[in-house]
Amino acid sequence: MSLPENYTLTILGAGVMGSAVLSAILKSKPSPFPSHIYCCTGSSKSADRLQSTYGDAISTSYGTNNAEAVRKADVIILGCKPFLCQAVIDSVKDALNDKQIVISLLAGWTIDQLSSAMGNPNIARVMTNTPAKYGCGTAIVSFAPVLQGSESVAVRDAVMALVDTVGMALELPEKNMDAATSLVGSGPAFVLLMMQALAEGGVRMGIPYEVAKKCAAKVMEGTAKMVQESGEHPEALKSMVCTPGGTTIGGLMVLEDKGVRGAISRSVEEAADIAAKLGKK
Ligand SMILES: NC(=O)C1=CN([C@@H]2O[C@H](COP(=O)(O)OP(=O)(O)OC[C@H]3O[C@@H](n4cnc5c(N)ncnc54)[C@H](OP(=O)(O)O)[C@@H]3O)[C@@H](O)[C@H]2O)C=CC1
Ligand SMILES: O=C(O)[C@@H]1CCC=N1
């Protein structure tokens, strides 16, 4: 199984995540590149907004007109909210066929659920995040059993190339997807809370907010880069910051006293538990 040369891509539910992935694809121009991209929404207002943002790189539709865009699709990126998924699928049911490749961005919906709802076994389940829009997102990809064989290597490569445009795409078994939903999908919100708290600490001590925000963002960016480039364990890098009797060890002791480390780890666990329940509602 492989993708047709000039394939058509339809994003069914091109909201925050669907359009973040669209931006990444348009910017990176992966190969093979779709010859036509359709973006489907629920409302005319959202369709108009997408059309004015992306111009003639895409065609848009909404509501009952989405069926036509879905009928033409070789690849469908499913980007609706989990609780609307069944209704969205039902609204285009007659336009679906079992040769299409479906890339789901949804939290909670398993490959089995998607497969039976869409009448199609060719599912790639993806969890990515909002930084995708800027090409610095993360994505975890799991393939349905029917796409795991050597005869589907071209499809897997095409899907990975498409998804890798968000920044970084890694493959994991589906059993890790709820954890990935939390770590990768929700992760930016957890990090933003930490970033805002760092900035506010600076403001509390007299630094103007705009400067504090820039510093907090750059400290996080720089620290992330240092972890990636050095390959060192974060604890080893952390100990290099701690001068004996100095400022950092004092600040870290407050964080440990308040249980921040456990709270962050448990927030990942809590969000993953919620993800596991989302598709069952
Ligand atoms: N937001 C995030 O950070 C992340 C979200 N996700 C997952 O991504 C998915 C989408 O979330 P998000 O992008 O935030 O949601 P949005 O609400 O931003 O996007 C949903 C999209 O679906 C469209 N839609 C609604 N009804 C229909 C319909 N009948 N037919 C076609 N399209 C329709 C909406 O159009 P309209 O605007 O007209 O209503 C909108 O474009 C979710 O399943 C979520 O779990 C995954 C990782 C991160
Ligand atoms: O909050 C949510 O449910 C979605 C999934 C991951 C990020 N946002």
Side-chain angles (χ1 to χ4, degrees):
M1 189 176 198
S2 61
L3 280 184
E5 198 40 49
N6 291 311
Y7 75 95
T8 296
L9 171 66
T10 296
I11 303 179
L12 183 57
V16 171
M17 276 324 298
S19 58
V21 173
L22 170 67
S23 294
I25 292 170
L26 291 176
K27 200 167 165 210
S28 294
K29 296 237 178 313
S31 175
F33 191 74
S35 62
H36 209 111
I37 301 177
Y38 293 93
C39 291
C40 303
T41 63
S43 64
S44 61
K45 197 173 156 200
S46 297
D48 290 348
R49 197 174 49 237
L50 284 168
Q51 197 70 72
S52 65
T53 306
Y54 296 100
D56 58 13
I58 60 162
S59 305
T60 55
S61 64
Y62 63 93
T64 51
N65 289 333
N66 290 338
E68 202 41 42
V70 170
R71 187 166 290 112
K72 290 178 179 153
D74 298 298
V75 177
I76 297 172
I77 293 183
L78 192 57
C80 56
K81 288 289 190 195
F83 66 92
L84 280 178
C85 183
Q86 190 62 59
V88 169
I89 292 172
D90 289 346
S91 73
V92 295
K93 193 114 199 168
D94 294 342
L96 296 167
N97 70 67
D98 64 5
K99 303 282 175 292
Q100 292 165 324
I101 307 295
V102 178
I103 300 174
S104 167
L105 305 179
L106 272 65
W109 278 66
T110 64
I111 289 172
D112 265 358
Q113 286 173 305
L114 290 161
S115 185
S116 48
M118 301 195 76
N120 181 344
N122 306 316
I123 311 285
R125 190 175 164 192
V126 172
M127 181 46 57
T128 183
N129 57 17
T130 47
K133 181 168 184 178
Y134 307 96
C136 48
T138 308
I140 298 297
V141 186
S142 301
F143 289 100
V146 77
L147 295 179
Q148 286 175 15
S150 54
E151 67 289 351
S152 299
V153 69
V155 170
R156 286 201 303 280
D157 286 352
V159 169
M160 289 308 280
L162 202 62
V163 177
D164 196 57
T165 60
V166 305
M168 178 183 79
L170 302 172
E171 198 179 332
L172 276 179
E174 195 187 13
K175 67 173 188 204
N176 294 130
M177 213 29 119
D178 293 327
T181 300
S182 175
L183 180 61
V184 170
S186 302
F190 303 158
V191 170
L192 286 161
L193 181 144
M194 294 174 226
M195 190 185 296
Q196 176 66 359
L198 267 183
E200 282 172 358
V203 171
R204 171 75 183 97
M205 300 313 295
I207 298 177
Y209 178 72
E210 281 307 319
V211 176
K213 185 180 76 174
K214 274 188 191 158
C215 290
K218 197 68 184 172
V219 166
M220 287 186 128
E221 183 196 5
T223 307
K225 209 169 185 96
M226 183 167 67
V227 170
Q228 287 166 337
E229 291 196 0
S230 70
E232 294 266 12
H233 195 290
E235 287 293 340
L237 294 169
K238 192 182 85 181
S239 80
M240 289 178 204
V241 191
C242 297
T243 305
T247 62
T248 314
I249 193 67
L252 284 170
M253 285 172 76
V254 174
L255 291 173
E256 298 291 13
D257 284 350
K258 301 282 184 193
V260 170
R261 181 193 296 252
I264 292 168
S265 297
R266 292 283 181 215
S267 74
V268 175
E269 187 180 24
E270 174 70 12
D273 287 348
I274 296 170
K277 291 175 195 143
L278 273 184
K280 298 192 176 75
K281 282 183 183 160

